[in-house]
Amino acid sequence: MTESPDLRTMKIPLHHGSGHIPALGFGTLIPDPAVTLTATRDALEAGFRHFDCAERYQNEREVGDALQSGLAAGGVTREDIFVTTKLWNSNHRPERVEPAFQASLERLRLNYLDLYLIHTPFAFQPGDDQDPRDQDGNVIYDRDVTLLDTWRALESLVDQGKCRAIGLSDITLDKLLPIYEAARIKPAVIQVESHPETELLEFCNQKGIVLLAFAPLGHGMKPGLIGDPVISAIAARIGKTPAQVLLAWAVQRGTALLTTPKSAARARENFDISALPDDAFDEINRIQTRQRLNDVVNTGSPGFIPRTTTV
Ligand SMILES: NC(=O)c1ccc[n+]([C@@H]2O[C@H](COP(=O)([O-])OP(=O)(O)OC[C@H]3O[C@@H](n4cnc5c(N)ncnc54)[C@H](OP(=O)(O)O)[C@@H]3O)[C@@H](O)[C@H]2O)c1
């Protein structure tokens, strides 16, 4: 019998030798700065080595402080961790990309990034307001920049050695295809909600792109994935928690994932995953519910971030 792989430390190769991404990632979409600091520290201590950030989360400084204190404590080096951040919609104009990237890097207190993503394919009015709206409350989009213009600016960051890999987030296959075709440096990672169209997953698998799944626990919404009777029954049968079952399934399915535990106990719980027996894995694959929780993929406006003016 072959031994099951250790899902906690599994890494997936990124193409063109741009390294490996740890499958189990910690997400930093945490509105409270003090909680961001403690939760990020707890995640590092629990064993997470992959950290997902974004300028839009407005907490890169706290994540940077937590990472620096973890690195300073010893035992973990910069090369041991994998850090991603994302370019926000109001910085899609090519001349805004490098300054936005540098500002993120400074807040995170790093000198390179492992992965830089275009947060959504929607360009908003360029400027410092992250949520530009007209008098009627409608988002002001920027029609004078294409996604390919922005992609070219990201390619140049890789050329300059400032980040090792680039990708996109909240994108559908129809928008991804033209970028993939035209790209000189192909997207290494696509970050989308954890139950994407199978077509997108198939495309990523064929092209060697890592699918990085967010909301693997259904963003903790209730009723939701954690209370699903199939998941609870499997958890009881194999002596794991529902969260551990869902996270293990996502890694076994070949995706990387991001989860956001906010306490030390939950960080340890979410890190302590192990391979599911085949019958349990198949049972989850047969669940037919298909529901998207976050509408960001259709509008560029983040569904999980409360709306505030951010000038
Ligand atoms: N690209 C994008 O547009 C996008 C969008 C959304 C998210 N993301 C990224 O993906 C990351 C993960 O997304 P997510 O926050 O939706 O992940 P998630 O892990 O599915 O949901 C997090 C929620 O699940 C609950 N939870 C965590 N561990 C649990 C456990 N062991 N048992 C029971 N409940 C548990 C937590 O609730 P409590 O608050 O009660 O602890 C937390 O609020 C984000 O932080 C962000 O980095 C990206």
Side-chain angles (χ1 to χ4, degrees), residues 254-279:
T255 67
L257 68 85
L258 297 169
T259 182
T260 314
K262 299 199 191 73
S263 67
R266 277 193 173 168
R268 286 192 294 272
E269 175 186 339
N270 291 10
F271 188 72
D272 184 22
I273 59 171
S274 48
L276 302 174
D278 290 348
D279 60 340

PDB file of all heavy atoms in Angstrom, residues 254-279:
ATOM      1  N   GLY A 254      -6.450  18.444  -5.835  1.00  0.00           N
ATOM      2  CA  GLY A 254      -5.379  18.999  -6.670  1.00  0.00           C
ATOM      3  C   GLY A 254      -5.341  20.506  -6.685  1.00  0.00           C
ATOM      4  O   GLY A 254      -4.574  21.104  -7.442  1.00  0.00           O
ATOM      5  N   THR A 255      -6.170  21.172  -5.852  1.00  0.00           N
ATOM      6  CA  THR A 255      -6.094  22.636  -5.805  1.00  0.00           C
ATOM      7  C   THR A 255      -5.238  23.046  -4.605  1.00  0.00           C
ATOM      8  O   THR A 255      -5.037  22.264  -3.684  1.00  0.00           O
ATOM      9  CB  THR A 255      -7.500  23.283  -5.647  1.00  0.00           C
ATOM     10  OG1 THR A 255      -8.058  22.963  -4.373  1.00  0.00           O
ATOM     11  CG2 THR A 255      -8.450  22.820  -6.743  1.00  0.00           C
ATOM     12  N   ALA A 256      -4.742  24.280  -4.651  1.00  0.00           N
ATOM     13  CA  ALA A 256      -4.209  24.896  -3.436  1.00  0.00           C
ATOM     14  C   ALA A 256      -5.400  25.609  -2.805  1.00  0.00           C
ATOM     15  O   ALA A 256      -6.437  25.793  -3.460  1.00  0.00           O
ATOM     16  CB  ALA A 256      -3.103  25.871  -3.785  1.00  0.00           C
ATOM     17  N   LEU A 257      -5.291  26.003  -1.554  1.00  0.00           N
ATOM     18  CA  LEU A 257      -6.451  26.638  -0.917  1.00  0.00           C
ATOM     19  C   LEU A 257      -6.022  27.708   0.063  1.00  0.00           C
ATOM     20  O   LEU A 257      -4.872  27.752   0.503  1.00  0.00           O
ATOM     21  CB  LEU A 257      -7.294  25.590  -0.185  1.00  0.00           C
ATOM     22  CG  LEU A 257      -6.680  24.925   1.044  1.00  0.00           C
ATOM     23  CD1 LEU A 257      -6.882  25.743   2.311  1.00  0.00           C
ATOM     24  CD2 LEU A 257      -7.312  23.562   1.240  1.00  0.00           C
ATOM     25  N   LEU A 258      -6.997  28.562   0.411  1.00  0.00           N
ATOM     26  CA  LEU A 258      -6.784  29.617   1.414  1.00  0.00           C
ATOM     27  C   LEU A 258      -7.869  29.525   2.454  1.00  0.00           C
ATOM     28  O   LEU A 258      -9.056  29.492   2.102  1.00  0.00           O
ATOM     29  CB  LEU A 258      -6.892  30.992   0.751  1.00  0.00           C
ATOM     30  CG  LEU A 258      -5.854  31.289  -0.306  1.00  0.00           C
ATOM     31  CD1 LEU A 258      -6.221  32.553  -1.070  1.00  0.00           C
ATOM     32  CD2 LEU A 258      -4.478  31.429   0.326  1.00  0.00           C
ATOM     33  N   THR A 259      -7.483  29.470   3.706  1.00  0.00           N
ATOM     34  CA  THR A 259      -8.474  29.472   4.764  1.00  0.00           C
ATOM     35  C   THR A 259      -8.093  30.536   5.784  1.00  0.00           C
ATOM     36  O   THR A 259      -6.928  30.924   5.866  1.00  0.00           O
ATOM     37  CB  THR A 259      -8.610  28.075   5.410  1.00  0.00           C
ATOM     38  OG1 THR A 259      -9.625  28.132   6.414  1.00  0.00           O
ATOM     39  CG2 THR A 259      -7.313  27.590   6.031  1.00  0.00           C
ATOM     40  N   THR A 260      -9.066  31.042   6.540  1.00  0.00           N
ATOM     41  CA  THR A 260      -8.808  32.157   7.449  1.00  0.00           C
ATOM     42  C   THR A 260      -9.237  31.839   8.878  1.00  0.00           C
ATOM     43  O   THR A 260     -10.229  32.387   9.354  1.00  0.00           O
ATOM     44  CB  THR A 260      -9.525  33.434   6.935  1.00  0.00           C
ATOM     45  OG1 THR A 260      -9.265  33.539   5.535  1.00  0.00           O
ATOM     46  CG2 THR A 260      -9.031  34.681   7.618  1.00  0.00           C
ATOM     47  N   PRO A 261      -8.498  30.956   9.569  1.00  0.00           N
ATOM     48  CA  PRO A 261      -8.789  30.753  10.988  1.00  0.00           C
ATOM     49  C   PRO A 261      -8.358  31.996  11.757  1.00  0.00           C
ATOM     50  O   PRO A 261      -7.332  32.591  11.427  1.00  0.00           O
ATOM     51  CB  PRO A 261      -7.922  29.547  11.354  1.00  0.00           C
ATOM     52  CG  PRO A 261      -6.800  29.575  10.367  1.00  0.00           C
ATOM     53  CD  PRO A 261      -7.343  30.166   9.111  1.00  0.00           C
ATOM     54  N   LYS A 262      -9.128  32.406  12.787  1.00  0.00           N
ATOM     55  CA  LYS A 262      -8.764  33.648  13.486  1.00  0.00           C
ATOM     56  C   LYS A 262      -8.266  33.411  14.903  1.00  0.00           C
ATOM     57  O   LYS A 262      -7.936  34.357  15.603  1.00  0.00           O
ATOM     58  CB  LYS A 262      -9.953  34.609  13.479  1.00  0.00           C
ATOM     59  CG  LYS A 262     -10.360  34.971  12.048  1.00  0.00           C
ATOM     60  CD  LYS A 262     -11.188  36.222  11.986  1.00  0.00           C
ATOM     61  CE  LYS A 262     -11.802  36.409  10.618  1.00  0.00           C
ATOM     62  NZ  LYS A 262     -12.903  35.476  10.347  1.00  0.00           N
ATOM     63  N   SER A 263      -8.225  32.157  15.347  1.00  0.00           N
ATOM     64  CA  SER A 263      -7.668  31.901  16.682  1.00  0.00           C
ATOM     65  C   SER A 263      -6.575  30.845  16.547  1.00  0.00           C
ATOM     66  O   SER A 263      -6.518  30.111  15.548  1.00  0.00           O
ATOM     67  CB  SER A 263      -8.756  31.378  17.622  1.00  0.00           C
ATOM     68  OG  SER A 263      -9.167  30.099  17.179  1.00  0.00           O
ATOM     69  N   ALA A 264      -5.730  30.762  17.593  1.00  0.00           N
ATOM     70  CA  ALA A 264      -4.622  29.800  17.553  1.00  0.00           C
ATOM     71  C   ALA A 264      -5.168  28.372  17.476  1.00  0.00           C
ATOM     72  O   ALA A 264      -4.631  27.532  16.753  1.00  0.00           O
ATOM     73  CB  ALA A 264      -3.755  29.983  18.787  1.00  0.00           C
ATOM     74  N   ALA A 265      -6.253  28.112  18.209  1.00  0.00           N
ATOM     75  CA  ALA A 265      -6.809  26.748  18.220  1.00  0.00           C
ATOM     76  C   ALA A 265      -7.298  26.372  16.817  1.00  0.00           C
ATOM     77  O   ALA A 265      -7.051  25.263  16.331  1.00  0.00           O
ATOM     78  CB  ALA A 265      -7.943  26.656  19.223  1.00  0.00           C
ATOM     79  N   ARG A 266      -7.980  27.315  16.171  1.00  0.00           N
ATOM     80  CA  ARG A 266      -8.470  27.020  14.814  1.00  0.00           C
ATOM     81  C   ARG A 266      -7.331  26.931  13.804  1.00  0.00           C
ATOM     82  O   ARG A 266      -7.415  26.171  12.837  1.00  0.00           O
ATOM     83  CB  ARG A 266      -9.469  28.079  14.375  1.00  0.00           C
ATOM     84  CG  ARG A 266     -10.845  27.759  14.909  1.00  0.00           C
ATOM     85  CD  ARG A 266     -11.897  28.594  14.240  1.00  0.00           C
ATOM     86  NE  ARG A 266     -13.208  28.136  14.651  1.00  0.00           N
ATOM     87  CZ  ARG A 266     -14.326  28.795  14.426  1.00  0.00           C
ATOM     88  NH1 ARG A 266     -14.289  29.957  13.792  1.00  0.00           N
ATOM     89  NH2 ARG A 266     -15.475  28.302  14.806  1.00  0.00           N
ATOM     90  N   ALA A 267      -6.285  27.707  14.008  1.00  0.00           N
ATOM     91  CA  ALA A 267      -5.130  27.617  13.089  1.00  0.00           C
ATOM     92  C   ALA A 267      -4.545  26.217  13.185  1.00  0.00           C
ATOM     93  O   ALA A 267      -4.234  25.588  12.169  1.00  0.00           O
ATOM     94  CB  ALA A 267      -4.086  28.679  13.436  1.00  0.00           C
ATOM     95  N   ARG A 268      -4.423  25.690  14.411  1.00  0.00           N
ATOM     96  CA  ARG A 268      -3.865  24.330  14.581  1.00  0.00           C
ATOM     97  C   ARG A 268      -4.811  23.303  13.971  1.00  0.00           C
ATOM     98  O   ARG A 268      -4.392  22.370  13.293  1.00  0.00           O
ATOM     99  CB  ARG A 268      -3.622  24.032  16.069  1.00  0.00           C
ATOM    100  CG  ARG A 268      -2.420  24.768  16.633  1.00  0.00           C
ATOM    101  CD  ARG A 268      -2.029  24.227  18.002  1.00  0.00           C
ATOM    102  NE  ARG A 268      -3.054  24.478  19.008  1.00  0.00           N
ATOM    103  CZ  ARG A 268      -3.128  25.590  19.750  1.00  0.00           C
ATOM    104  NH1 ARG A 268      -2.215  26.526  19.627  1.00  0.00           N
ATOM    105  NH2 ARG A 268      -4.097  25.760  20.626  1.00  0.00           N
ATOM    106  N   GLU A 269      -6.116  23.528  14.207  1.00  0.00           N
ATOM    107  CA  GLU A 269      -7.122  22.597  13.647  1.00  0.00           C
ATOM    108  C   GLU A 269      -7.045  22.585  12.120  1.00  0.00           C
ATOM    109  O   GLU A 269      -6.963  21.525  11.488  1.00  0.00           O
ATOM    110  CB  GLU A 269      -8.525  23.030  14.098  1.00  0.00           C
ATOM    111  CG  GLU A 269      -9.648  22.209  13.468  1.00  0.00           C
ATOM    112  CD  GLU A 269     -11.039  22.745  13.807  1.00  0.00           C
ATOM    113  OE1 GLU A 269     -11.200  23.475  14.811  1.00  0.00           O
ATOM    114  OE2 GLU A 269     -11.981  22.420  13.053  1.00  0.00           O
ATOM    115  N   ASN A 270      -7.010  23.773  11.508  1.00  0.00           N
ATOM    116  CA  ASN A 270      -7.059  23.841  10.043  1.00  0.00           C
ATOM    117  C   ASN A 270      -5.756  23.378   9.389  1.00  0.00           C
ATOM    118  O   ASN A 270      -5.749  23.004   8.226  1.00  0.00           O
ATOM    119  CB  ASN A 270      -7.399  25.269   9.586  1.00  0.00           C
ATOM    120  CG  ASN A 270      -8.827  25.652   9.933  1.00  0.00           C
ATOM    121  OD1 ASN A 270      -9.507  24.934  10.664  1.00  0.00           O
ATOM    122  ND2 ASN A 270      -9.300  26.771   9.426  1.00  0.00           N
ATOM    123  N   PHE A 271      -4.661  23.421  10.168  1.00  0.00           N
ATOM    124  CA  PHE A 271      -3.396  22.945   9.606  1.00  0.00           C
ATOM    125  C   PHE A 271      -3.289  21.417   9.710  1.00  0.00           C
ATOM    126  O   PHE A 271      -2.623  20.782   8.892  1.00  0.00           O
ATOM    127  CB  PHE A 271      -2.209  23.614  10.321  1.00  0.00           C
ATOM    128  CG  PHE A 271      -0.893  23.323   9.661  1.00  0.00           C
ATOM    129  CD1 PHE A 271      -0.578  23.908   8.436  1.00  0.00           C
ATOM    130  CD2 PHE A 271       0.017  22.444  10.218  1.00  0.00           C
ATOM    131  CE1 PHE A 271       0.626  23.622   7.792  1.00  0.00           C
ATOM    132  CE2 PHE A 271       1.223  22.150   9.587  1.00  0.00           C
ATOM    133  CZ  PHE A 271       1.515  22.746   8.367  1.00  0.00           C
ATOM    134  N   ASP A 272      -3.987  20.850  10.693  1.00  0.00           N
ATOM    135  CA  ASP A 272      -3.821  19.421  10.989  1.00  0.00           C
ATOM    136  C   ASP A 272      -4.742  18.560  10.098  1.00  0.00           C
ATOM    137  O   ASP A 272      -5.661  17.908  10.584  1.00  0.00           O
ATOM    138  CB  ASP A 272      -4.123  19.182  12.477  1.00  0.00           C
ATOM    139  CG  ASP A 272      -3.864  17.735  12.866  1.00  0.00           C
ATOM    140  OD1 ASP A 272      -3.087  17.054  12.165  1.00  0.00           O
ATOM    141  OD2 ASP A 272      -4.461  17.290  13.863  1.00  0.00           O
ATOM    142  N   ILE A 273      -4.461  18.570   8.802  1.00  0.00           N
ATOM    143  CA  ILE A 273      -5.317  17.788   7.900  1.00  0.00           C
ATOM    144  C   ILE A 273      -4.570  16.545   7.417  1.00  0.00           C
ATOM    145  O   ILE A 273      -3.349  16.525   7.384  1.00  0.00           O
ATOM    146  CB  ILE A 273      -5.805  18.636   6.695  1.00  0.00           C
ATOM    147  CG1 ILE A 273      -4.626  19.182   5.882  1.00  0.00           C
ATOM    148  CG2 ILE A 273      -6.689  19.773   7.173  1.00  0.00           C
ATOM    149  CD1 ILE A 273      -5.033  19.848   4.574  1.00  0.00           C
ATOM    150  N   SER A 274      -5.343  15.539   7.075  1.00  0.00           N
ATOM    151  CA  SER A 274      -4.710  14.328   6.531  1.00  0.00           C
ATOM    152  C   SER A 274      -5.624  13.744   5.453  1.00  0.00           C
ATOM    153  O   SER A 274      -6.828  14.058   5.400  1.00  0.00           O
ATOM    154  CB  SER A 274      -4.453  13.316   7.642  1.00  0.00           C
ATOM    155  OG  SER A 274      -5.606  13.161   8.423  1.00  0.00           O
ATOM    156  N   ALA A 275      -5.027  12.915   4.608  1.00  0.00           N
ATOM    157  CA  ALA A 275      -5.742  12.407   3.423  1.00  0.00           C
ATOM    158  C   ALA A 275      -7.029  11.671   3.812  1.00  0.00           C
ATOM    159  O   ALA A 275      -7.053  10.904   4.787  1.00  0.00           O
ATOM    160  CB  ALA A 275      -4.821  11.487   2.636  1.00  0.00           C
ATOM    161  N   LEU A 276      -8.087  11.922   3.051  1.00  0.00           N
ATOM    162  CA  LEU A 276      -9.375  11.244   3.284  1.00  0.00           C
ATOM    163  C   LEU A 276      -9.335   9.864   2.635  1.00  0.00           C
ATOM    164  O   LEU A 276      -8.710   9.689   1.586  1.00  0.00           O
ATOM    165  CB  LEU A 276     -10.509  12.030   2.608  1.00  0.00           C
ATOM    166  CG  LEU A 276     -10.708  13.487   3.027  1.00  0.00           C
ATOM    167  CD1 LEU A 276     -11.779  14.131   2.144  1.00  0.00           C
ATOM    168  CD2 LEU A 276     -11.123  13.555   4.491  1.00  0.00           C
ATOM    169  N   PRO A 277     -10.045   8.894   3.233  1.00  0.00           N
ATOM    170  CA  PRO A 277     -10.180   7.608   2.552  1.00  0.00           C
ATOM    171  C   PRO A 277     -10.902   7.812   1.215  1.00  0.00           C
ATOM    172  O   PRO A 277     -11.700   8.752   1.074  1.00  0.00           O
ATOM    173  CB  PRO A 277     -11.040   6.769   3.501  1.00  0.00           C
ATOM    174  CG  PRO A 277     -11.257   7.583   4.732  1.00  0.00           C
ATOM    175  CD  PRO A 277     -10.778   8.975   4.500  1.00  0.00           C
ATOM    176  N   ASP A 278     -10.639   6.934   0.235  1.00  0.00           N
ATOM    177  CA  ASP A 278     -11.220   7.096  -1.114  1.00  0.00           C
ATOM    178  C   ASP A 278     -12.741   7.229  -1.092  1.00  0.00           C
ATOM    179  O   ASP A 278     -13.313   8.040  -1.815  1.00  0.00           O
ATOM    180  CB  ASP A 278     -10.862   5.883  -1.995  1.00  0.00           C
ATOM    181  CG  ASP A 278      -9.380   5.889  -2.337  1.00  0.00           C
ATOM    182  OD1 ASP A 278      -8.725   6.920  -2.088  1.00  0.00           O
ATOM    183  OD2 ASP A 278      -8.889   4.853  -2.834  1.00  0.00           O
ATOM    184  N   ASP A 279     -13.413   6.425  -0.239  1.00  0.00           N
ATOM    185  CA  ASP A 279     -14.885   6.465  -0.264  1.00  0.00           C
ATOM    186  C   ASP A 279     -15.390   7.841   0.197  1.00  0.00           C
ATOM    187  O   ASP A 279     -16.355   8.384  -0.353  1.00  0.00           O
ATOM    188  CB  ASP A 279     -15.494   5.314   0.562  1.00  0.00           C
ATOM    189  CG  ASP A 279     -15.076   5.343   2.022  1.00  0.00           C
ATOM    190  OD1 ASP A 279     -14.050   5.992   2.345  1.00  0.00           O
ATOM    191  OD2 ASP A 279     -15.780   4.728   2.849  1.00  0.00           O
TER     192      ASP A 279
END
